[in-house]
Amino acid sequence: MSADAAASFEAKWALAHPELPLALRFATAPMRPVVSAFACLAHEIGHAAWHIVEPEVARSKLQWWAEELSAFAAGKPRHPLTMTLSTWPSMAQIPADAWSAVIAGALAQREMLPAASLDALLGGYRRVHGPLAAIEVMLHPKLDVEASTQAANLMRALHEATWMSEALTRDRLPLPLELLARHQLARADLGQPGARRDAALREHFALLASHMRALDRRGLAALTAAALQAACRRSQRAARAADPLVEAASKLDRLPFSSVWAGWRSARRMQASP
């Protein structure tokens, strides 16, 4: 990947995710372009899965990626990101079916029904993050695929709840139905500030933080470990705030020092000899 192409994709990713440039500092020099390319590719797919407003535009973009990733698996990459990934031997050996599972999971996000429970909510996000983690292990052989998947699920749940109005506009319900029932909320109530909505959000953020703290982080890549630490801190702050949405959305361009420490430790573990 050329320096200009790399800078362009990394800038898009790092705009709201400062953990990418941090994690790249901990990667060995030969791996930095490949780690960056994989993170940026996952970001491009996730953007189509969750952020593009028009369904047809999202499907078209994902179909384009499906064709590109199929070509990549056949040894004919065309995009700067897949061309960079092809320079890493283990990534070049990933079969087309593995990439197809990622795209299928991303397409499924556009049709997700409301989740009854937090487990069901996380399970929906797993359809994207599970296949991605199964591929990422080709970059980091010591990666704990299940822990990495669950970390990504929890961070997605935090993001969806934080930007709840965006999720609702795209006809997604970012909170589980059992939480709404417990706080006597209807879906329409989520679009308006109120004591019951804020109480439900504080409970949701507290539960996400609890799951994040309990997750075994020893097998996470540096990027995921740094991001998860920042997400856990955000969830904890939001769970205690008078206005949980405002707090959850604040200081997104900053990382706590604990994220630096978490990323460094994970990088050391990934690079250590068996």
Side-chain angles (χ1 to χ4, degrees), residues 41-133:
L41 174 59
H43 177 72
E44 292 293 312
I45 293 171
H47 182 264
W50 287 295
H51 295 290
I52 294 178
V53 177
E54 301 85 353
E56 288 304 318
V57 175
R59 281 192 284 270
S60 295
K61 183 172 182 178
L62 289 170
Q63 183 57 45
W64 187 91
W65 275 114
E67 294 170 2
E68 173 60 22
L69 292 168
S70 178
F72 171 38
K76 300 176 181 178
R78 299 162 297 179
H79 191 277
L81 295 178
T82 50
M83 290 175 68
T84 300
L85 291 176
S86 71
T87 65
W88 200 257
S90 60
M91 295 297 284
Q93 296 168 9
I94 294 168
D97 286 352
W99 293 113
S100 295
V102 176
I103 299 300
L107 286 167
Q109 302 306 306
R110 310 294 305 194
E111 309 294 337
M112 293 296 292
L113 297 173
S117 64
L118 179 59
D119 285 346
L121 188 70
L122 299 176
Y125 304 144
R126 175 179 291 273
R127 297 184 66 176
V128 177
H129 298 136
L132 278 172

Side-chain angles (χ1 to χ4, degrees), residues 140-248:
H140 307 291
K142 296 180 180 179
L143 187 79
D144 183 331
V145 172
E146 174 56 31
S148 186
T149 299
Q150 186 68 344
N153 295 339
L154 290 164
M155 289 188 286
R156 171 51 51 183
L158 171 62
H159 186 281
E160 293 290 289
T162 299
W163 306 110
M164 188 163 58
S165 60
E166 177 185 310
L168 294 171
T169 299
R170 287 156 177 71
D171 201 29
R172 298 195 306 273
L173 185 63
L175 303 180
L177 292 171
E178 65 178 15
L179 181 66
L180 270 60
R182 193 155 53 248
H183 290 268
Q184 299 181 325
L185 290 167
R187 183 183 184 126
D189 297 327
L190 296 179
Q192 300 295 328
R196 285 183 294 150
R197 189 194 75 166
D198 288 346
L201 284 166
R202 280 191 287 269
E203 181 181 339
H204 186 61
F205 288 131
L207 192 54
L208 292 179
S210 176
H211 281 284
M212 291 176 188
R213 289 194 302 270
L215 193 65
D216 186 348
R217 306 184 187 190
R218 290 173 293 180
L220 298 181
L223 176 58
T224 304
L228 183 66
Q229 180 61 26
C232 187
R233 292 283 297 274
R234 283 177 54 209
S235 299
Q236 290 173 318
R237 292 198 316 267
R240 298 190 297 264
D243 191 330
L245 287 185
V246 169
E247 184 59 42

Side-chain angles (χ1 to χ4, degrees), residues 10-25:
E10 287 178 12
K12 286 172 63 177
W13 208 106
L15 186 62
H17 299 278
E19 59 269 18
L20 176 59
L22 170 66
L24 292 179
R25 296 177 193 172

Side-chain angles (χ1 to χ4, degrees), residues 26 217 229 258 260-270:
F26 298 135
R217 306 184 187 190
Q229 180 61 26
S258 55
V260 180
W261 179 239
W264 179 80
R265 286 187 302 176
S266 290
R268 290 289 299 270
R269 284 193 291 264
M270 290 292 113

